[in-house]
Amino acid sequence: MVGIDQVLEKLSTVIDPDLKKDIVSMGMIKDLELNDGNLKFTLELTTPACPFNVEIEDDVRKVIGELSDLKSFDMNVTAKVMEGRSLDDDTGMATVKNIIGVASGKGGVGKSTVSLNLALALQQTGAKVGLLDADIYGPSIPLMLGMKDGYMEVEDNKLQPAESNGLKVVSFGFFAEQAHQAAIYRGPIISGILKQFLVDTNWSDLDYLIVDLPPGTGDIPLTLAQTIPITGILVVTTPQDVASNVAVKAIGMFEKLNVPIIGVVENMSHFVCPGANEKHYIFGKGGGKKISEQFNMPFLGEIPLNSGIMSGSDLGKPIMITNPDSPSAVAFKTAAKNIAAQCSILAAKLQQEMETEKSSEESTAEASTSN
Ligand code: ADP
């Protein structure tokens, strides 16, 4: 009769294509029971948005199918998002597993549009997602979500995020009076506001917090990078943006601060005439890819130039909600899955680093007690 060792041996031949590790050593097999040839376990994937979820599940079924003497097989598939940042900081954000800053070199590249639709795409996979509109000088998320009159309550000295389409949303735009004056605020005030939005907000449990940063390399991106450990930065470019090299400056700043770059999403990448299939690269082709190669970072997706994306934002009805099966929404879903996969990769790296650190601390402690 088949034993647990044989089951684990078979399962350890299944490799997660992103993490390049087998699913047993990654701890993805839980609650394994084998009774009299009846096998049962849970496959716990690293994110509900993993682009390879179906492939991994199929591989598991295939290798289990190769075992003889099994009477029955029952697999429960779940996902638990990995912690892509160190959670033992004392900043009070320990319930947020991943923080993703969305940056761009200059304004108008569609950074807020991309932040919002990616947040919705992640949320639609079943992940718990928050969106922090940190573009203090031009907060556009409330308008894009149809929340012009939105506001946040304060309870027990903590801001309560507003809710929209399953997202937890915080924006400076909810403070209408102050938002008008934002242009006159200086560095320390601006940094203080961002810190409050991050730390003094009751985010509750979140898998991903998307932070829509102002363009460029000002106080807010700097404060985000220096205040709390974050998973990394997502760079939004357009083909023209790449040509003018402005994104390069922003990437350089985060690299200097040792903040991981998750990758690049190219917005307004091409245009498809209604009713046709051919892609027209109006602003040039391959710019986002070129920049990702130049900085050795993953290229995570191309979002088309589409009037539906624009009108959705203007009307407060994002395309991910109104037309989730459209090619534009599918492009956001693909990019969101690639981003989730990169977060899992960064989380696995972090886990490895923490384990190495812990074991070297333990061996130092052992050495000092034996001396
Ligand atoms: P940013 O945050 O970089 O300043 P926004 O997200 O506010 O840019 O977008 C600027 C304008 O471009 C908005 O009117 C928005 O609707 C439009 N826009 C953004 N992305 C697209 C796209 N892929 N297709 C069409 N219009 C877009």
Side-chain angles (χ1 to χ4, degrees):
M1 186 69 74
V2 61
I4 283 202
D5 286 353
Q6 286 161 284
V7 172
L8 287 176
E9 202 177 304
K10 273 284 177 201
L11 286 172
S12 60
T13 63
V14 177
I15 307 291
D16 181 313
D18 274 323
L19 304 177
K20 313 248 180 316
K21 282 198 174 158
D22 76 87
I23 59 170
V24 175
S25 61
M26 282 304 298
M28 293 185 196
I29 304 298
K30 306 269 183 212
D31 307 326
L32 191 144
E33 285 175 30
L34 181 63
N35 291 318
D36 199 20
N38 299 300
L39 176 64
K40 212 169 130 182
F41 58 79
T42 295
L43 170 67
E44 190 180 81
L45 298 157
T46 57
T47 163
C50 172
F52 294 111
N53 280 0
V54 174
E55 191 179 322
I56 296 173
E57 198 181 322
D58 286 350
D59 284 353
V60 169
R61 289 193 191 283
K62 186 170 156 265
V63 297
I64 294 297
E66 288 163 8
L67 289 166
S68 49
D69 299 339
L70 263 192
K71 286 189 195 150
S72 70
F73 168 46
D74 182 10
M75 175 166 66
N76 175 31
V77 183
T78 60
K80 187 171 165 223
V81 173
M82 291 175 83
E83 292 158 10
R85 48 186 295 267
S86 165
L87 296 187
D88 58 0
D89 61 280
D90 49 11
T91 54
M93 291 197 76
T95 58
V96 181
K97 289 183 179 168
N98 289 281
I99 299 182
I100 302 170
V102 184
S104 67
K106 64 174 168 50
V109 301
K111 179 184 43 57
S112 301
T113 309
V114 170
S115 300
L116 170 61
N117 283 289
L118 287 178
L120 289 167
L122 285 169
Q123 192 271 338
Q124 286 174 8
T125 67
K128 284 178 250 161
V129 184
L131 178 60
L132 169 51
D133 176 10
D135 195 345
I136 285 181
Y137 300 110
S140 49
I141 297 292
L143 194 74
M144 291 180 179
L145 277 168
M147 302 173 82
K148 242 174 35 196
D149 300 321
Y151 60 93
M152 291 177 290
E153 310 248 353
V154 178
E155 263 171 47
D156 299 328
N157 285 330
K158 287 258 180 193
L159 280 172
Q160 304 298 316
E163 297 221 5
S164 174
N165 299 291
L167 297 180
K168 296 211 183 272
V169 186
V170 167
S171 171
F172 198 55
F174 294 150
F175 299 90
E177 276 301 301
Q178 287 91 327
H180 287 309
Q181 295 175 21
I184 59 165
Y185 291 159
R186 290 290 166 258
I189 297 181
I190 295 288
S191 298
I193 294 171
L194 178 65
K195 280 183 197 161
Q196 254 190 319
F197 280 176
L198 286 164
V199 175
D200 294 336
T201 295
N202 182 13
W203 289 111
S204 58
D205 292 337
L206 286 187
D207 294 318
Y208 303 100
L209 173 62
I210 309 288
V211 184
D212 179 17
L213 295 167
T217 53
D219 293 310
I220 291 205
L222 202 65
T223 306
L224 178 72
Q226 294 176 328
T227 306
I228 42 160
I230 66 170
T231 309
I233 294 290
L234 176 73
V235 180
V236 178
T237 65
T238 58
Q240 323 76 302
D241 185 29
V242 174
S244 66
N245 244 357
V246 277
V248 168
K249 225 169 114 190
I251 296 169
M253 180 188 87
F254 290 111
E255 281 197 329
K256 272 204 193 87
L257 294 167
N258 279 333
V259 178
I261 308 279
I262 295 172
V264 183
V265 169
E266 187 181 81
N267 189 31
M268 308 190 200
S269 131
H270 54 265
F271 178 73
V272 180
C273 286
N277 277 328
E278 201 189 337
K279 291 179 179 176
H280 298 277
Y281 292 87
I282 309 169
F283 306 120
K285 193 177 173 191
K289 275 213 176 97
K290 211 164 94 191
I291 210 167
S292 73
E293 281 160 14
Q294 184 185 342
F295 285 89
N296 195 21
M297 55 194 183
F299 184 69
L300 303 172
E302 294 178 348
I303 311 298
L305 177 72
N306 177 278
S307 59
I309 297 180
M310 189 179 70
S311 55
S313 292
D314 289 352
L315 297 170
K317 295 190 169 116
I319 197 155
M320 282 308 303
I321 301 295
T322 53
N323 205 349
D325 297 322
S326 63
S328 298
V330 171
F332 281 120
K333 284 184 202 176
T334 305
K337 285 187 175 185
N338 290 337
I339 290 159
Q342 287 307 315
C343 288
S344 298
I345 292 172
L346 289 169
K349 244 192 220 165
L350 187 73
Q351 219 172 45
Q352 180 93 49
E353 278 166 19
M354 288 194 315
E355 274 161 24
T356 315
E357 206 174 297
K358 200 171 145 210
S359 67
S360 85
E361 273 169 19
E362 277 167 4
S363 42
T364 317
E366 246 170 55
S368 65
T369 44
S370 62
N371 281 338

